Amino acid sequence: MVKIRLTRTGKTHSPSYRIVVADQRSPRDGRFIEEIGHYNPNSKELSVNAESAKKWLANGAQPTPTIKALLKKAGVIA
């Protein structure tokens, strides 16, 4: 199954995340299909490519609970 999830980037104690589409069997920071945005919890910065996110959701990709909340915040899903 394909999932939309976060991969961690950034320094120790200063995380930032990429929003990626990946196979559920891939490791957290491993191989992914497409990067569709990024999120920095320290500065509350959220950037999502809405067209790509909607395309993947329409094709059956399952968002994780955290991503679902972030996509609602970004206005991608209702």
Side-chain angles (χ1 to χ4, degrees):
M1 179 186 341
V2 176
K3 291 209 168 238
I4 302 175
R5 63 184 184 193
L6 295 172
T7 62
R8 185 181 163 127
T9 59
K11 295 189 264 182
T12 306
H13 304 297
S14 180
S16 62
Y17 299 93
R18 291 181 184 156
I19 301 171
V20 299
V21 178
D23 188 283
Q24 72 175 3
R25 296 170 290 183
S26 298
R28 179 193 73 181
D29 296 335
R31 195 169 131 188
F32 59 87
I33 301 168
E34 183 181 356
E35 182 181 337
I36 60 171
H38 66 275
Y39 172 59
N40 187 344
N42 297 325
S43 65
K44 307 289 190 265
E45 180 185 350
L46 174 62
S47 173
V48 179
N49 184 340
E51 292 178 15
S52 291
K54 287 179 183 177
K55 178 189 81 160
W56 281 106
L57 290 169
N59 286 335
Q62 297 295 312
T64 62
T66 303
I67 290 295
K68 195 173 211 179
L70 289 173
L71 291 177
K72 284 182 183 178
K73 185 177 177 182
V76 175
I77 58 176

